[in-house]
Amino acid sequence: MTDTAVRIDGNTLRLPGGVAVRFVRTLRLPETGTHPLPPGLGEFPVRRVADHPDTVPAEWRARGGVMLPVYLREAMWLSFAGTTRPAALQVGVGKVCAVSGRPWSDRLSQRPQNYLTLPRQPWLDGINSGTGTVRQFVAVPLGLGATVEGQVTGEEVWGGVQLQSFPLSEEALAEYHRQERLRRQRLSRERTRGSRAAGAFGAAPPMAAAAPGSARATRSRRSAPAAMGLGVGGTMRQEVYLDERPLRDWAETPAGRVFVHLVTPPQWQRITGEAPPPSPADRAAYTRAGLPWYDYYDQDAGDLAAPETLEAVRPVGDWLGADLEPWQQPSPGQVVPLKDAQGTPVEDGDW
């Protein structure tokens, strides 16, 4: 019998089919301009809702899943490092697809594509918003209309983040394993011949397995939910990759899913008894210290066009006021290329 359980391993969510998801704290970008990838500043702690039945709101118990604490206007990104084999992952923000802008669905679609392909997609920092760009995930309370959910659907009912994984079909998985055996045999032959490229050929891209910022209680102790959702902040350079597989390669039904509740720090402490993480880092101080930002480019992958519904989503500053945190542009030397650095073109001559 197939295991459909979603499990917590430390702060990593493991969905059936080998999918690993971590929620990473990061610097919030300015809402104007286009920026490199901000660093990872540690993982959000993740706890099961079922472990706190006496202190979580009733609707959270009904939805199940997990919860994590976020500050107002705190930014996050999702890391998929550690995913062990190909999978399609749907990401919802208030049950709006972060890739297609369409309502949440239990089926995969390619017109428009409503999922990410893992492990090819190493992370997701925001909603698909334009050619080669995303708008950063930023936490805001429900009720203002500032969330992606509120702007796309006109209602704020769900909040949080939703994840749903689809494995390869049996036939496609068998073919994947066959290709992997051939790849390992080829690597073994090349190592035997002393090939310098053998270690990198067909392997995961450098840094893809790590975060961009790594080396990248009352009468009834239950309190009213401080419901939070995700809006958008600044724009960064990041591709959302086009799936190169035919849709038939994926299972028709999901292997597992999970609802991720976003909790304010005070409510996190009331529910769990744990102190929340410290407030987010000062981005200007980070940049002044000469610490790295990142640029990721994959020359072999196609980028998904942004849907009109997501292109039209406005930043949270339109509701909460101007972003007063100072911005200091990183110097060129602080922006570290990951994977396929585009580099400077090399001119050819007469041979």
Side-chain angles (χ1 to χ4, degrees):
M1 181 175 175
T2 303
D3 184 7
T4 60
V6 176
R7 305 183 186 280
I8 298 180
D9 179 6
N11 293 320
T12 300
L13 285 181
R14 298 199 180 276
L15 282 75
V19 173
V21 182
R22 291 184 301 127
F23 297 85
V24 184
R25 309 183 77 196
T26 190
L27 299 176
R28 189 175 76 250
L29 298 174
E31 293 177 357
T32 58
T34 301
H35 307 278
L37 298 178
L41 300 176
E43 302 169 0
F44 287 93
V46 178
R47 302 291 182 266
R48 296 195 321 153
V49 167
D51 290 338
H52 302 278
D54 297 329
T55 51
V56 297
E59 54 266 47
W60 293 11
R61 296 201 312 274
R63 294 171 186 173
V66 300
M67 56 187 169
L68 59 86
V70 289
Y71 287 83
L72 175 66
R73 279 182 117 156
E74 183 169 13
M76 71 165 62
W77 51 271
L78 278 59
S79 169
F80 311 124
T83 296
T84 56
R85 58 179 180 267
L89 180 69
Q90 293 177 322
V91 179
V93 286
K95 296 188 73 171
V96 173
C97 177
V99 176
S100 70
R102 297 288 182 88
W104 186 253
S105 172
D106 289 332
R107 308 279 293 196
L108 296 181
S109 167
Q110 289 186 334
R111 296 184 181 179
Q113 185 174 315
N114 65 351
Y115 59 93
L116 305 170
T117 56
L118 308 187
R120 186 63 175 275
Q121 188 85 35
W123 45 69
L124 183 70
D125 287 62
I127 64 169
N128 184 20
S129 63
T131 303
T133 65
V134 301
R135 296 294 298 273
Q136 189 175 40
F137 291 135
V138 176
V140 286
L142 303 188
L144 300 177
T147 61
V148 176
E149 175 187 5
Q151 295 186 60
V152 172
T153 71
E155 298 180 304
E156 292 184 318
V157 176
W158 299 100
V161 177
Q162 298 75 41
L163 302 171
Q164 189 162 251
S165 64
F166 291 74
L168 289 171
S169 66
E170 291 185 9
E171 296 80 5
L173 182 60
E175 176 62 17
Y176 165 75
H177 286 313
R178 189 183 74 85
Q179 293 294 337
E180 282 294 288
R181 285 193 297 271
L182 292 174
R183 183 181 68 84
R184 288 193 294 269
Q185 291 169 6
R186 182 170 63 247
L187 286 173
S188 178
R189 290 194 298 269
E190 290 175 353
R191 290 192 185 100
T192 300
R193 292 196 298 267
S195 169
R196 290 185 179 180
F201 190 84
M207 298 297 293
S214 59
R216 178 216 95 191
T218 54
R219 284 188 306 271
S220 147
R221 295 176 59 207
R222 196 171 300 129
S223 56
M228 300 283 280
L230 290 180
V232 302
T235 300
M236 73 188 77
R237 292 183 289 275
Q238 183 176 104
E239 296 168 312
V240 178
Y241 295 137
L242 178 71
D243 187 11
E244 298 175 351
R245 292 180 177 274
L247 194 60
R248 64 176 179 274
D249 274 9
W250 301 109
E252 293 186 359
T253 57
R257 67 176 194 165
V258 62
F259 196 110
V260 182
H261 304 266
L262 304 182
V263 186
T264 64
Q267 188 165 6
W268 172 265
Q269 190 152 12
R270 286 195 297 268
I271 291 174
T272 67
E274 302 176 33
S279 59
D282 182 317
R283 68 188 179 209
Y286 180 96
T287 304
R288 282 196 304 270
L291 297 170
W293 294 71
Y294 297 87
D295 190 20
Y296 186 88
Y297 173 66
D298 188 337
Q299 63 187 6
D300 298 323
D303 179 46
L304 281 177
E308 292 182 2
T309 51
L310 295 184
E311 281 186 307
V313 172
R314 294 152 51 203
V316 300
D318 287 5
W319 283 263
L320 300 177
D323 183 355
L324 300 178
E325 188 178 345
W327 166 245
Q328 179 174 335
Q329 188 73 25
S331 67
Q334 284 181 265
V335 180
V336 179
L338 304 176
K339 201 177 191 299
D340 303 326
Q342 299 186 57
T344 304
V346 176
E347 296 180 1
D348 195 12
D350 296 329
W351 285 46

